[in-house]
Amino acid sequence: MPVLLRLPLRAGVAACILCFIAWLFFQGTVTWQNLPLTAGVARLAVAGLDGPTVLALICTWGALLLAVLLTLALRALGPSGSASGAAFSPVRALLAWQLPPRALFASWCGGLNLAEAFGVGGWLGLNLWWLLLGLHSGIQPGDPWDARLNAAAKLLGQMTAPNLMLLFLPIPHTNVLTWLTGVSRNRLIRFHRWMGHGTLWIVLLHAVLYYVYWGVTHTFWVNFKDWGEAAGGVNNLAGGGGLAFFCGLALWGTSLSVVRRRLYEFFFRCHITCFIGFFLLSCAHYSGAWLYFTPSLLLYAADLALRGSQMNNITTVSAAAIDEGSSTATLLIRADKALQHRPPSEVWLLVPALSRWQWHPFSLASGGGATLKCHVKQYGRFTGALLRALCRRQPLAVRLSGPMGSEVTASGCQLSPPPSWRRYDTVVMVAGGVGVTAMLGMLRCMLAARQAAEAGRGPPEGLPSKAVCIWTARQAGQFLTLDSSLLAAASAKHGWLSLRLHLTAGRQQHNPRAVLPSPSDIGRHASDSRRTTESSTSRTAGLVSVGDGNAPPLPGMPAGPVRMTGASPYFWSLLRPTQPLAFSALQLAAVFVLTFFGAFCAALVGTSYMQQAPAWQGGMLICVLISAVATGLPTFFAIFPLHQARYMRAVEGSKQGGPAAEQACVVPYEDQVLLHSEACVLAGNTIVLPNATSGIRIREGRADIPALLCSVAAKTGSSLVGVYAGGPAGLMQSVHLTVCSLNGEGSGTHYELHNESVEL
């Protein structure tokens, strides 16, 4: 029965997407006065919303909402089947073909394949369609040149409409496109950047042409400082034209990679602030602009409500290991046992002691059971401050959003695609430095699936028969993030896992520092928790054990619920394990329905007010109302009650001293630092287990990636090999060009490249 339901559901999703795309083209072709169904459209009017506006909402909001609901229904039916060991597909290979000049595209945007080129070409075609129609209907050959200039400036303003409708579709973490296409959010976010540059170029030309027109007609200052209502309901300075333009320029400038990568915190704050200003002031400039902003922004609003609900969770770093030589740290964070990690995924981490507002993404190395593990390398001010904070003895409170892309129990539902590595019989992973995090997570997931299959707890299909991991690093200490289970699997003869470690720089002194909070620091007031004391260190390798969650409290630990006052701006201050960002399909559907319903109610109120007030005030009011109601309604009715119930259960459990207390978020621990059971150690040029002599030898120099890929394909005889890469830009570009070159040789093996490097 589920198989029979999939086809109509997929057809419905495709019809909704086609309806949305058709509307983007149709909207710029005719005026409502020329429609033969004008009378029927007029009857769609509801309160302050006229008929054409309601039709626009049906074709945009309605199409997107229905596509989400149908996708959730598909997701609730479960996976369509395993595709492990899939044979070479000419169609998939053609779509993955990289366009030349490959070196240029690889260095600029990580490569551009044919499927992505179709998407970019469709976006360019949409803009060309609007441009040609506008030139045909708005600019006449006999018009004077200043009238043509005015018409061209107006046309560019109209061209922002379809671009704004598409601009925000790739950014939600809970994304329909991600689940439907299997493309990671990291790859989708590039389309947001590309469309953002194109949209802001159009905005720039729109403003500059109007400034030139006002200048040549000697009306520049009159129009520029206009705080009233101009012709056609368009306002300039007060209504947001000039101010929105300046906000857009600031947003654009701070989004450039040279600023974003070096000053991430500055970019993060400016991006949010300038976008809010651009959104509000654009809708004040033209009161109908909310119709173009909101379709994709409503999906993001639902995503914000889902993520914001988890930000109330307060926990602490339960264990950490810092390697001073490589400036890296491994963190363990207590997690709810219901949370099941499915790599590759990420968490967003906020440390109130460092910043109240800065959320920073980290790839998740492993998770599930009782902990989340992530690796941090010092690259900037935030990561440097985080590593220094870990060296203090007071508990380090953290707030997490995520894991994004996690799997949960059978009742849970996430809009993340199935693991791509299950499609291949042979997998090759190439990683540099801390970029190995996502790939270690995938290897641990493969190992857990194999162990479950051997124990009869899971199906054996859907697992690669061979996995090869090539890991390069500049400091040997970075290899210590490898755990004992993977080391044992890689050390076995004729095993499924092969691991090659390459040291690309001079060997440095390994100096790990294991860090745990002091018992006397537990339960202090927030002002006291900021005091710093030097931590005692243990010259050990790997992670530290934090003990058993059911162990009795130690002296100095407060009785009852463990709270961290001041760690969160919310009233939930009980320390507890990170809870899963998990909802059933029905709850997720309720979140999206309430988001769109709240936005519709807000639009009714705003447009009713607009009939009695200046248009620019009504435009800003609609923006504020839609933003507040679209995020607030699902939060208070679909999300908050669930988290409130979880919180109350945690409070009651902590009062009774039961497992729900989870005081291992902070304690118990012992005075001496214990080695984690999964730690590896560095013995000369070999990574080994404690008290063992054999392990994996560290090779000097860089790996020969082309030779290794050819060798793996020759030994396994696979016609399709999945290649996963993560790390510095130079490594990513080298792997990308290598895969393109090997695919062009016609060797009989096709390599599919997956970019797992998250670009800030």
Side-chain angles (χ1 to χ4, degrees), residues 309-319 332-340 347 349 367-373 396-403 546-550 560-564 572-582 642-643 645-654 658-668:
S309 64
Q310 196 185 37
M311 295 176 186
N312 304 318
N313 191 92
I314 307 298
T315 186
T316 59
V317 175
S318 60
L332 285 183
I333 301 172
R334 297 290 292 183
D336 191 285
K337 294 181 180 180
L339 191 147
Q340 296 295 323
V347 293
L349 184 69
T371 58
L372 297 175
K373 181 191 294 185
L396 185 64
V398 293
R399 294 165 57 201
L400 277 89
S401 178
V546 295
D548 182 7
N550 295 320
V562 182
R563 298 180 181 273
M564 182 71 72
W572 286 343
S573 59
L574 176 70
L575 291 176
R576 53 200 173 121
T578 301
Q579 296 180 344
L581 187 65
L642 176 62
H643 283 275
R646 290 176 178 174
Y647 181 78
M648 295 307 296
R649 285 197 299 267
V651 171
E652 293 300 321
S654 63
E662 293 289 356
Q663 292 173 343
C665 285
V666 183
V667 289

Side-chain angles (χ1 to χ4, degrees), residues 263-558:
L263 303 170
Y264 180 77
E265 184 173 359
F266 176 71
F267 150 76
F268 182 79
R269 295 178 178 179
C270 285
H271 203 66
I272 295 176
T273 304
C274 294
F275 167 71
I276 293 174
F278 181 71
F279 177 36
L280 291 176
L281 295 171
S282 294
C283 292
H285 170 60
Y286 172 58
S287 60
W290 64 273
L291 276 171
Y292 313 128
F293 276 98
T294 51
S296 54
L297 273 182
L298 288 180
L299 298 180
Y300 185 56
D303 186 63
L304 284 179
L306 290 168
R307 287 190 286 140
S309 64
Q310 196 185 37
M311 295 176 186
N312 304 318
N313 191 92
I314 307 298
T315 186
T316 59
V317 175
S318 60
I322 301 175
D323 182 60
E324 295 176 342
S326 58
S327 299
T328 58
T330 299
L331 311 182
L332 285 183
I333 301 172
R334 297 290 292 183
D336 191 285
K337 294 181 180 180
L339 191 147
Q340 296 295 323
H341 164 241
R342 186 177 69 186
S345 60
E346 64 183 9
V347 293
W348 288 73
L349 184 69
L350 182 144
V351 184
L354 304 181
S355 173
R356 281 289 188 181
W357 305 107
Q358 183 177 359
W359 290 86
H360 205 285
F362 294 99
S363 294
L364 200 59
S366 65
T371 58
L372 297 175
K373 181 191 294 185
C374 58
H375 306 303
V376 179
K377 182 173 177 60
Q378 180 176 350
Y379 281 114
R381 289 188 301 173
F382 178 85
T383 50
L386 177 59
L387 264 62
R388 290 191 297 271
L390 292 171
C391 294
R392 303 167 186 163
R393 291 181 63 85
Q394 79 271 14
L396 185 64
V398 293
R399 294 165 57 201
L400 277 89
S401 178
M404 309 301 176
S406 63
E407 270 297 338
V408 292
T409 55
S411 62
C413 179
Q414 292 288 337
L415 285 175
S416 54
S420 59
W421 48 265
R422 288 186 176 272
R423 297 204 305 258
Y424 309 106
D425 188 65
T426 302
V427 171
V428 178
M429 300 178 178
V430 184
V434 77
V436 77
T437 301
M439 275 153 278
L440 287 180
M442 285 187 278
L443 291 176
R444 291 180 180 119
C445 192
M446 293 179 196
L447 179 60
R450 285 181 175 275
Q451 293 173 344
E454 292 173 359
R457 298 191 305 269
E461 69 272 5
L463 297 175
S465 61
K466 185 64 176 178
V468 179
C469 181
I470 306 163
W471 184 3
T472 64
R474 296 182 61 85
Q475 296 89 16
Q478 294 187 25
F479 295 133
L480 295 176
T481 55
L482 187 67
D483 56 53
S484 61
S485 58
L486 290 179
L487 181 59
S491 301
K493 291 184 178 180
H494 309 293
W496 65 275
L497 175 61
S498 176
L499 183 61
R500 295 175 61 96
L501 307 179
H502 289 262
L503 189 65
T504 57
R507 189 175 300 276
Q508 300 184 17
Q509 180 66 30
H510 172 60
N511 185 21
R513 171 177 294 177
V515 181
L516 279 180
S518 167
S520 60
D521 289 325
I522 305 301
R524 287 186 177 179
H525 191 269
S527 60
D528 295 331
S529 67
R530 294 180 180 272
R531 299 176 184 176
T532 60
T533 57
E534 293 297 326
S535 63
S536 60
T537 63
S538 174
R539 303 301 180 183
T540 56
L543 295 178
V544 292
S545 174
V546 295
D548 182 7
N550 295 320
L554 293 178
M557 187 181 72

